[in-house]
Amino acid sequence: MIYPLVIDDNESNTVILPSSLKADGRTAVAFGSFLAPCTIISSSGPSDSIIVAGDVAQRLLIPFAAKVHVFLTDEAVHIGPLVGVFTAGFTKSPHRPVGGRSFFFAKLLAQEKQVGGFAFLFGLPHIDWEHGTVNGYFYTERGWERHTVPLPTVIYNRLPNRRIENDDMFQTVTKTLQTAYGIPVFNGRFFNKWEVYRRLAVHRDARPYLPETSAYVTRQTIEQFLNRYTGAYVKPADGSLGRGIYHLVKKKDAYECRFRDEHGETKTTLFPTAMALWHHLLTHAPLHRYVIQQAVPLITINGRPTDFRVHTNKNENGQWQVSAVAAKIAGRRSITTHMNSGGMVKTLEEIFPNTAKRETVLARLRDAALTLSRCLDETSDTLIGEIGFDFGVDEQGNIWMFEANSKPGRSIFKHPGLKEADERTALLPLAYAVHLSKTAIIDPEAFGL
């Protein structure tokens, strides 16, 4: 349940709970990492508000009135939660604090009104370790505002790329917040394609969805894959946005390699032998950081290969749900369906006007996404709250998982038909953060805190 939080400057050292919540001898109120001893009483009237005395709100650094959740422990009343969204790339602009990403984060933080609690954006420079506070960015009706608040109850990691994520300082800070301060962090790192495949391949429920993949890109594996399948993809294990991908096909008397050059143009090169092809790849790519994956003949729309992006999120109960589904149609002569390669995003209604066909494909995509989300969750040593899957569907209707992304891109949501899914995928991370906050407060041993 969500309660209106009211800050009353006429009260002193007191927190008044709604009559439905019992004070039961509790002697402190908590907000984020701060705890303030005070008098706690339950209202004798019908009010459903939590009234916090002005001096208590000041000590706790509560920035403004809002709608909040309440979690009760034996000693304290916890109000909030206070959710920190951790990122990098801040600018000096008060109106666009993270440049072009500001609009997405504004949309994300605005969901706090519906979810309940406080959510803010912060980075390394905003943490005051001496006082245990953060000078974070809040998005309000007035636009972006800075407020100093305690360290958060839970952290949603939205670091923008692997380079920053792997920086020693970011690694140290993230670990310190988790271990020294006991703050749960979810979606703490980008997925690695080989690591995802390796984890899922041992899971019986996941194996039917996996195209064969190998982390050893050698002349022998190239020949094996091209003898066994219609083609293969060689791609970076830590890549994104379709960069650095090679599509390999064995022709009658040659090996074909298609790729995007540095200007974004699709090029095709023929090689007489697998050895020659392998040497070409060696000179253009660090193959020790690549994987080779079975190519799957995909269904086509207007003659163009089509795959599907499916987002899953954990909800306010910590359960996985499908939050978005879209089709991605490859651009002309493109080797992938990425939009930066000329791909187009369509809704399932647009590409499957037949309701029965659409519902069949959607049901299979949902089953695959939820199964694989649970499998990845079960084999992960970190908290995962959202995943973006790239699925293929072959002509027999089988589902194949090509990639899983722990920090999925947002480009599909530019399609006007995906507006509701856009809002849903912005809301659910905060809803899951409420669930994590409750667990961290009520049952900290669940996270080893």
Side-chain angles (χ1 to χ4, degrees), residues 104 107 410 413 418-427:
F104 162 67
K107 187 184 301 182
R410 310 288 305 177
F413 298 115
L418 294 168
K419 187 175 185 298
E420 285 187 18
D422 184 19
E423 294 176 355
R424 187 162 51 247
T425 55
L427 181 146

Side-chain angles (χ1 to χ4, degrees), residues 191 194-203 376 379-380 384:
F191 287 160
W194 175 243
E195 179 65 17
V196 166
Y197 179 85
R198 191 183 61 79
R199 282 160 49 189
L200 290 177
V202 299
H203 210 297
L376 281 172
T379 58
S380 175
I384 307 173

Side-chain angles (χ1 to χ4, degrees), residues 153-390:
T153 320
V154 66
I155 292 172
Y156 174 29
N157 184 317
R158 286 295 306 193
L159 291 176
N161 56 56
R162 289 177 171 84
R163 178 183 59 80
I164 291 174
E165 179 182 281
N166 292 328
D167 181 88
D168 288 344
M169 185 172 291
F170 281 95
Q171 294 265 337
T172 300
V173 166
T174 302
K175 186 174 182 180
T176 300
L177 290 168
Q178 289 176 286
T179 56
Y181 292 87
I183 302 173
V185 176
F186 69 98
N187 282 56
R189 61 174 181 246
F190 285 88
F191 287 160
N192 171 282
K193 293 180 182 66
W194 175 243
E195 179 65 17
V196 166
Y197 179 85
R198 191 183 61 79
R199 282 160 49 189
L200 290 177
V202 299
H203 210 297
R204 183 181 62 184
D205 295 337
R207 280 198 293 268
Y209 300 111
L210 303 180
E212 185 180 356
T213 304
S214 173
Y216 304 101
V217 185
T218 65
R219 176 186 63 79
Q220 289 85 355
T221 55
I222 289 173
E223 283 191 310
Q224 289 168 4
F225 272 69
L226 295 184
N227 285 332
R228 198 174 297 159
Y229 307 114
T230 58
Y233 284 95
V234 173
K235 50 189 179 180
D238 285 324
S240 60
L241 301 176
R243 298 189 186 104
I245 294 179
Y246 298 86
H247 181 216
L248 313 181
V249 177
K250 186 177 182 181
K251 300 290 187 178
K252 184 176 181 180
D253 54 359
Y255 291 84
E256 179 184 275
C257 176
R258 299 175 67 223
F259 59 95
R260 288 178 68 207
D261 66 15
E262 62 272 19
H263 305 295
E265 298 292 327
T266 301
K267 300 293 185 182
T268 301
T269 307
L270 296 176
F271 299 90
T273 64
M275 177 67 81
L277 169 57
W278 180 59
H279 276 296
H280 172 80
L281 293 174
L282 271 180
T283 60
H284 289 82
L287 294 184
H288 62 286
R289 295 202 298 266
Y290 271 57
V291 297
I292 183 169
Q293 187 176 82
Q294 165 193 353
V296 175
L298 301 176
I299 61 171
T300 60
I301 303 297
N302 297 325
R304 298 187 182 185
T306 300
D307 63 17
F308 300 86
R309 166 58 62 92
V310 181
H311 282 239
T312 60
N313 289 79
K314 282 184 182 171
N315 59 23
E316 64 277 7
N317 300 312
Q319 301 297 314
W320 286 105
Q321 70 176 68
V322 172
S323 51
V325 182
K328 299 185 299 173
I329 302 173
R332 182 172 165 272
R333 297 185 65 245
S334 175
I335 62 173
T336 72
T337 61
H338 293 87
M339 291 179 69
N340 62 354
S341 300
M344 294 185 297
V345 174
K346 297 287 185 181
T347 64
L348 265 62
E349 288 78 9
E350 289 177 301
I351 67 168
F352 296 125
N354 180 285
T355 302
K357 174 77 176 290
R358 181 171 67 247
E359 292 300 325
T360 297
V361 173
L362 180 60
R364 290 176 177 174
L365 288 171
R366 286 181 181 275
D367 287 346
L370 292 174
T371 297
L372 293 170
S373 295
R374 288 190 287 265
C375 292
L376 281 172
D377 211 9
E378 289 171 10
T379 58
S380 175
D381 58 357
T382 61
L383 296 168
I384 307 173
E386 66 178 335
I387 304 173
F389 291 101
D390 287 331

